Amino acid sequence: MNRQRPFIGFIVAGAIAVLAIAGFYWFFPKNPASLIAPSSQPGATIFVSKLAPAIVSLLTNPDSLQALEREGELSRLKTSFLAKSGIDYQQDIKPWLGNEITLAITNLDIDRDPENGQQPGYLLALATQQPEKSREFVELLFSKRALAGANLNVEEYKGVKLISDTQEAIAENKIQNPKSPIQNNLAGAVVGEGFVLFANDPKVLREAINNVQAPDLNLTSSSEYQKATKELPKGSIAVAFLNLPIVAKWQGLELAEQTYNSEIISLLLKPKGLLAETAFVTSSEIVSPSPPLTKPVAALQYVPASAGLAISGSNLSNLDNSDVAKLWKQATATIYGSQEDVVSQFLKPLGDAQKRWGINLPKDIFSWVQGEYAIALLPQEQTTPHWIFVAEKSDGVEQGVARLDAIASSNGLTISPVTIDNQKISAWTELTTASKKNNDKNRASFAIEAKVRGAHTTLGNYEIFTSDLETMDEVFTAKENSLINNPKFQDSIAAIPQSNQGYIYLDWTKSQDLLERQIPILKLVEVLGKPFFNNLRSLTVSSYGTNTEALKGGIFFQLNNS
């Protein structure tokens, strides 16, 4: 049972909201080069323990984001946020606020007593340009809280003045504890000439001061953090660092596969949207199973621009060990406690097909695809999406196709030759009978119907598989309007380094309904991030980088009106 004392909304929600602005809602700049963070790394790491689960930082003054607003969202947020505090942002905060806002989860339990449940420690660090004005703000804030009934406490700790208060509130669970009082704590201090600190308990502030005076304790001195920050790109305006084993523990998870020790995430503005780069850091050496690609795979020429989802790369036989798959497994295991393979998560229609036909995708198909490949879904309204699978010819492809034909036959399907636009196709058909009306009531009449369950053909140096003949026909005309030549797709990969391990491309407008069915929690995320999702056009995931101690990749969010 967790004992959660609510941290004052002004602190936690405020920091999260401002950082969310930076990361999601308001990135619609006409000139992203005009917004560059003064520093590529947060300075507040000196206050944070090297054992802290997570830290996230905005590395620019929030007012510099004001120009990125389209409908005054940021201004309204500031106003609504401070409405109940009696604080005026323009008068009380803006004059001294600097170029960094950092929020850290400092530890999983403040008093480290498992008997009374977990109470995480939260620390908010605000860079200050005018220490005296920021001290005035801290005193103003606590004086207003005292007038509202809070019990104030002032102490000096290692030369730093700490102010804290306690307010009683009614427990949220009124059914179980209708009269149970809980503590709503806030502690604040101005440390040195650089930062204003707020926390949900004075103990958190004392530990922060200890971390400064004993450098070996703070995150800045962590070798893991130092390795991670080497992967930070220049120009990041927001950064997050996660201690993965501790984050997993916080979520109550035990990772079956702990390849990576930490993760660092950075946000960069790009002309067409936002690039979130991430690097998973490990102490062991990473060797990529496949050489990087230097350009989009030619197999995408057979994928129509109407595709809602496309995955492309080379050497599909190593998909489970690919960089993209490893990144997916680590992320899902840390966040959701699940390590399902990348195909079953993204391509459920193919997973359904393998169950129906009694095949094993990695063994019966992926094992012989050693060249380029492309897998795509073409979403259909209220039906299962149609799919396309393109494989470059290489050793073993001919035998692999023959094996699939044999599997289809063993499942009662007929291999039927079909011709479309003079192109010979092998269709896997299921023959069924249907009764017909007959004038002779004593005699039944039947018609044989053929339902296509899949099809394949050869085009150039590629073997093409589709879910049906209609989709195959779209493939034949794809060169006129293929995904690889589509401007929207070209824009989505422009921010990704050309040397990479391939792409996972998602057209959000076409795939939103499909994803919501596969990932129900996504609906909640959409509600919280409505302005962002309303303007999201597509996202592209890729893995790149040559560091043998870090798995590096990125997600590019292409936005409307960018």
Side-chain angles (χ1 to χ4, degrees), residues 47-69:
F47 301 108
V48 181
S49 166
K50 62 175 63 177
L51 298 178
I55 177 173
V56 59
S57 302
L58 175 65
L59 301 178
T60 187
N61 191 293
D63 289 316
S64 64
L65 302 176
Q66 203 82 33
L68 308 184
E69 293 187 271

Side-chain angles (χ1 to χ4, degrees), residues 373-390:
Y373 70 86
I375 306 172
L377 296 183
L378 280 64
Q380 304 294 316
E381 291 186 6
Q382 299 179 344
T383 62
T384 301
H386 298 176
W387 53 262
I388 299 170
F389 173 47
V390 184

Side-chain angles (χ1 to χ4, degrees), residues 130-170:
Q130 299 186 41
E132 285 305 316
K133 284 190 175 294
S134 57
R135 286 189 178 88
E136 292 173 5
F137 166 74
V138 171
E139 293 180 359
L140 172 66
L141 174 63
F142 280 95
S143 65
K144 288 181 178 291
R145 286 172 61 84
L147 291 174
N151 300 314
L152 288 186
N153 180 59
V154 180
E155 65 175 298
E156 185 168 313
Y157 183 77
K158 296 186 176 181
V160 178
K161 180 182 179 182
L162 306 184
I163 306 177
S164 61
D165 64 25
T166 302
Q167 288 181 331
E168 287 192 353
I170 300 299

Side-chain angles (χ1 to χ4, degrees), residues 323-386:
D323 288 348
V324 171
K326 287 181 179 178
L327 187 146
W328 173 262
K329 285 182 180 180
Q330 186 72 30
T332 54
T334 301
I335 299 172
Y336 303 110
S338 168
Q339 297 196 55
E340 295 186 52
D341 64 89
V342 68
V343 175
S344 64
Q345 286 287 332
F346 281 114
L347 300 174
K348 193 174 184 296
L350 288 185
D352 294 340
Q354 74 172 344
K355 291 178 182 178
R356 184 169 64 247
W357 295 343
I359 63 174
N360 181 285
L361 286 175
K363 179 181 177 181
D364 297 324
I365 300 180
F366 298 165
S367 61
W368 46 263
V369 181
Q370 299 179 10
E372 293 182 356
Y373 70 86
I375 306 172
L377 296 183
L378 280 64
Q380 304 294 316
E381 291 186 6
Q382 299 179 344
T383 62
T384 301
H386 298 176

Side-chain angles (χ1 to χ4, degrees), residues 60-195:
T60 187
N61 191 293
D63 289 316
S64 64
L65 302 176
Q66 203 82 33
L68 308 184
E69 293 187 271
R70 297 193 307 164
E71 299 177 358
E73 301 97 333
L74 181 56
S75 298
R76 285 199 300 271
L77 182 65
K78 291 174 182 176
T79 302
S80 61
F81 223 19
L82 300 170
K84 295 182 179 180
S85 68
I87 299 296
D88 180 86
Y89 175 81
Q90 293 293 329
Q91 178 179 332
D92 300 323
I93 299 177
K94 182 178 179 179
W96 58 265
L97 187 60
N99 293 316
E100 179 182 337
I101 300 176
T102 290
L103 176 65
I105 302 166
T106 59
N107 55 64
L108 301 184
D109 192 6
I110 294 175
D111 61 12
R112 296 175 175 82
D113 183 0
E115 296 297 324
N116 59 10
Q118 283 191 335
Q119 166 56 38
Y122 298 97
L123 178 70
L124 177 65
L126 307 172
T128 175
Q129 303 176 103
Q130 299 186 41
E132 285 305 316
K133 284 190 175 294
S134 57
R135 286 189 178 88
E136 292 173 5
F137 166 74
V138 171
E139 293 180 359
L140 172 66
L141 174 63
F142 280 95
S143 65
K144 288 181 178 291
R145 286 172 61 84
L147 291 174
N151 300 314
L152 288 186
N153 180 59
V154 180
E155 65 175 298
E156 185 168 313
Y157 183 77
K158 296 186 176 181
V160 178
K161 180 182 179 182
L162 306 184
I163 306 177
S164 61
D165 64 25
T166 302
Q167 288 181 331
E168 287 192 353
I170 300 299
E172 292 181 7
N173 191 348
K174 295 183 179 180
I175 297 177
Q176 287 186 338
N177 303 291
K179 296 181 179 180
S180 174
I182 54 177
Q183 301 302 313
N184 185 358
N185 293 345
L186 178 66
V190 178
V191 181
E193 299 295 313
F195 284 93

Side-chain angles (χ1 to χ4, degrees), residues 320-542:
D320 280 346
N321 294 318
S322 68
D323 288 348
V324 171
K326 287 181 179 178
L327 187 146
W328 173 262
K329 285 182 180 180
Q330 186 72 30
T332 54
T334 301
I335 299 172
Y336 303 110
S338 168
Q339 297 196 55
E340 295 186 52
D341 64 89
V342 68
V343 175
S344 64
Q345 286 287 332
F346 281 114
L347 300 174
K348 193 174 184 296
L350 288 185
D352 294 340
Q354 74 172 344
K355 291 178 182 178
R356 184 169 64 247
W357 295 343
I359 63 174
N360 181 285
L361 286 175
K363 179 181 177 181
D364 297 324
I365 300 180
F366 298 165
S367 61
W368 46 263
V369 181
Q370 299 179 10
E372 293 182 356
Y373 70 86
I375 306 172
L377 296 183
L378 280 64
Q380 304 294 316
E381 291 186 6
Q382 299 179 344
T383 62
T384 301
H386 298 176
W387 53 262
I388 299 170
F389 173 47
V390 184
E392 184 181 17
K393 285 188 175 181
S394 59
D395 293 341
V397 170
E398 187 174 338
Q399 294 90 331
V401 174
R403 174 170 170 75
L404 289 180
D405 283 340
I407 292 175
S409 295
S410 67
N411 281 276
L413 301 180
T414 302
I415 313 301
S416 305
V418 181
T419 300
I420 299 179
D421 293 337
N422 298 320
Q423 177 68 34
K424 293 182 179 180
I425 301 166
S426 294
W428 298 325
T429 59
E430 180 181 4
L431 300 179
T432 60
T433 59
S435 61
K436 297 177 64 178
K437 291 184 179 180
N438 195 305
N439 293 330
D440 186 349
K441 296 182 180 181
N442 296 320
R443 187 174 183 180
S445 178
F446 296 91
I448 296 178
E449 297 181 352
K451 294 183 178 180
V452 176
R453 299 301 187 186
H456 67 87
T457 190
T458 301
L459 288 176
N461 196 39
Y462 295 87
E463 195 71 24
I464 315 291
F465 299 81
T466 64
S467 56
D468 49 72
L469 294 179
E470 292 78 10
T471 305
M472 184 67 78
D473 186 54
E474 286 193 59
V475 171
F476 293 158
T477 59
K479 282 194 173 182
E480 301 173 8
N481 188 23
S482 67
L483 185 65
I484 197 171
N485 294 321
N486 184 270
K488 185 176 177 180
F489 175 75
Q490 290 294 329
D491 287 343
S492 73
I493 65 175
I496 305 291
Q498 286 190 344
S499 180
N500 58 64
Q501 295 291 336
Y503 304 106
I504 298 175
Y505 169 77
L506 179 72
D507 187 308
W508 175 249
T509 56
K510 296 173 182 175
S511 301
Q512 182 177 359
D513 292 341
L514 172 64
L515 286 177
E516 287 175 348
R517 291 196 297 270
Q518 303 302 323
I519 312 174
I521 196 175
L522 186 60
K523 291 185 179 180
L524 174 61
V525 176
E526 290 174 44
V527 171
L528 297 176
K530 186 176 179 180
F532 168 70
F533 283 100
N534 284 349
N535 290 282
L536 178 62
R537 295 178 60 185
S538 68
L539 61 88
T540 306
V541 182
S542 185

